[in-house]
Amino acid sequence: MKVLLIGGAGYIGTHVSIEFLERGDTVGIYDNLSSGHKENILPGVEFYRGDILETHRLNEVFSLGWDAVIHLAAFKAAGESMLNPAKYSINNITGSLNIIIECIANSVPNFVLSSSAAVYGEPAYLPVDEEHPVNPENYYGYTKLAIERHLEWYRKLKGLNYASLRYFNAAGYDKAGKMTGLEREPANLIPVVMETAVGKRKHLEIFGQDYETRDGTGIRDYVHVTDLASGHVKALDYISSQKKSLTVNLGSEEGLSVLEILNEARRVSGKEIPAVYSGRRPGDPASLVASSTSARELLGWTPVNSSLESIISSTWAVYRKQTS
Ligand code: UDP
C-alpha cells in the first residue's frame, strides 16, 4: 500500500513509519517539522515538508495518489490547550478538516486518526471501553472528539473509511534504536522524568498527591509506542479490506501511578531524579485505564512491549545515549 503519514516525523509517527516500512509498504511523510525532526525520517521514506493549514501544499501532495492517510499531526499538551485553546482549534480542528477534505477531493479511501483517551474525560467506570460516554475534560480531548465526529459525517456522506485509534498514554522507544530525535519541550510524564534524570530539569513536579488512588498520584495506562504503531497497521488492514470504519481504544489495560513510573525510572537509570509535589493539573482525571477488548477482537491486536520495565528501559536507553 501507499501510505501518507501526516505528522510522521514526530514521536508516534516515526514508530508508525518503522512498522509500515518493515512490511514493505510505500511510505510518505508530510510534516512541518514544528515538533518532529528531519532525522526521524528513515531511509526509504519520501519526505514532503508542509503544514496542514497550507491547503495548496496539501493538495499538491495528495494529488500524488495514496491508498491511505494516517493523521498524526496535532498539538497534544492537555494543560496548554486549556490556556491557549485557539492554537488547538486552528491546528487540530481546522487542520484535520483540511486533510479530510483533501482525502475526498483526491479519492484517498482510508483514513487512520490518532485519537485519544482524552475524549472520555473523568471515567464513570474502569476500565474504559468504547461504549463509555465521551465527555472531554480538557480542550485537547474535545478537539479529538470533534475530528472523530467529522470523520463519521464524511463516512456517511462520502464513504470515507476511517479508524479512530483512541490512544492511552504512548510511551517507550523502539528497541532497535531507529528513532533518534527526542521530543522538544515535552510535557508528558515519562519524558519529563527522563529529562530530570539526565539533569536537564531540576526536578519532576508531581501534579497532585491526594487523588483517590493507591498512592494518591494519578494513574494512567501506558502503552508502548511500538504496540501503538502495530495497531495502525492492523487498523488500516481492517478498514481497507472490510470497507468498514472503526473506533477502538489502544491501551495496555494496566494502570500505573506517577510514583510507580518515577520509582522504576530511578531503578533503571540509577539516578536520584528529584521530585516535588505540586497542585493538581486542571483537566486531569484521577485514573484512566483502557479496556482494549475491541482492538484484540476486531484487529487481533495485542500489546507485547508494554510492560513497565520495557517502557522505562527503552526510553532510558535513548535519553542516556542522546544526552551523554
Ligand atoms: N504528570 C506529573 N508531572 C508532569 C507531567 C505529568 O505528575 O510533569 C502526571 C499527570 O498529572 C498524569 C500523569 O502524570 O497523572 C500522566 O500525564 P501525561 O501528561 O503524561 O499524560 P495525560 O494522561 O495527561 O495525557
Side-chain angles (χ1 to χ4, degrees):
M1 266 200 270
K2 204 177 157 196
V3 185
L4 182 64
L5 272 50
I6 302 188
Y11 168 59
I12 296 174
T14 306
H15 288 90
V16 173
S17 75
I18 293 171
E19 294 295 305
F20 279 109
L21 286 170
E22 272 178 6
R23 70 164 200 177
D25 287 307
T26 300
V27 178
I29 286 184
Y30 185 97
D31 202 298
N32 65 2
L33 299 182
S34 64
S35 59
H37 296 263
K38 195 99 196 256
E39 66 259 35
N40 287 341
I41 295 162
L42 299 173
V45 171
E46 195 64 46
F47 177 53
Y48 309 95
R49 188 164 186 160
D51 194 286
I52 57 175
L53 298 176
E54 287 174 87
T55 50
H56 182 72
R57 177 68 177 142
L58 270 178
N59 187 263
E60 232 170 54
V61 176
F62 272 67
S63 64
L64 300 172
W66 301 92
D67 299 308
V69 156
I70 317 278
H71 173 28
L72 307 122
F75 294 132
K76 65 176 174 86
E80 183 193 47
S81 75
M82 302 292 276
L83 302 170
N84 188 2
K87 176 175 172 184
Y88 284 72
S89 320
I90 295 167
N91 190 64
N92 292 13
I93 300 181
T94 308
S96 297
L97 284 171
N98 288 341
I99 297 169
I100 294 171
I101 290 164
E102 287 303 329
C103 282
I104 304 306
N106 292 283
S107 307
V108 180
N110 300 300
F111 190 117
V112 179
L113 173 70
S114 291
S115 188
S116 169
V119 299
Y120 295 116
E122 182 74 41
Y125 59 84
L126 291 172
V128 174
D129 56 20
E130 296 82 0
E131 304 303 312
H132 188 286
V134 285
N135 183 23
E137 292 234 325
N138 53 61
Y139 185 65
Y140 159 73
Y142 172 73
T143 66
K144 292 292 175 176
L145 184 59
I147 306 159
E148 286 192 358
R149 292 196 164 145
H150 279 103
L151 284 172
E152 178 55 19
W153 275 107
Y154 277 85
R155 179 192 69 77
K156 276 197 285 217
L157 301 175
K158 293 287 175 184
L160 183 67
N161 291 322
Y162 71 84
S164 284
L165 305 180
R166 292 178 173 168
Y167 305 161
F168 282 63
N169 293 57
Y173 275 79
D174 77 290
K175 296 205 172 97
K178 288 187 183 163
M179 175 165 176
T180 51
L182 294 174
E183 246 186 313
R184 302 183 190 107
E185 294 174 37
N188 290 113
L189 176 64
I190 295 178
V192 170
V193 165
M194 294 293 156
E195 288 196 351
T196 313
V198 298
K200 212 170 158 188
R201 294 178 192 238
K202 270 218 305 278
H203 53 244
L204 164 73
E205 269 184 77
I206 300 175
F207 298 144
Q209 62 186 127
D210 56 355
Y211 284 111
E212 280 189 24
T213 59
R214 50 185 176 262
D215 60 20
T217 66
I219 288 186
R220 296 289 182 277
D221 176 318
Y222 296 88
V223 54
H224 196 287
V225 66
T226 300
D227 290 331
L228 276 188
S230 77
H232 291 69
V233 176
K234 288 181 184 290
L236 176 56
D237 285 350
Y238 178 93
I239 61 169
S240 59
S241 64
Q242 310 275 319
K243 308 265 177 282
K244 268 189 191 164
S245 293
L246 171 86
T247 299
V248 291
N249 290 341
L250 295 179
S252 68
E253 305 185 313
E254 198 193 337
L256 295 168
S257 74
V258 174
L259 289 181
E260 287 161 350
I261 295 283
L262 175 62
N263 288 332
E264 180 67 0
R266 286 173 169 158
R267 187 188 72 76
V268 166
S269 66
K271 305 280 182 187
E272 184 199 346
I273 316 184
V276 296
Y277 284 105
S278 67
R280 293 182 180 193
R281 187 172 61 177
D284 259 1
S287 294
L288 197 54
V289 181
S291 160
S292 295
T293 306
S294 304
R296 287 173 197 276
E297 290 181 358
L298 295 171
L299 306 179
W301 176 79
T302 347
V304 291
N305 299 289
S306 295
S307 68
L308 174 59
E309 198 278 327
S310 156
I311 284 173
I312 298 298
S313 56
S314 64
T315 312
W316 175 240
V318 177
Y319 273 81
R320 188 182 47 188
K321 201 154 104 204
Q322 294 288 305
T323 49
S324 60

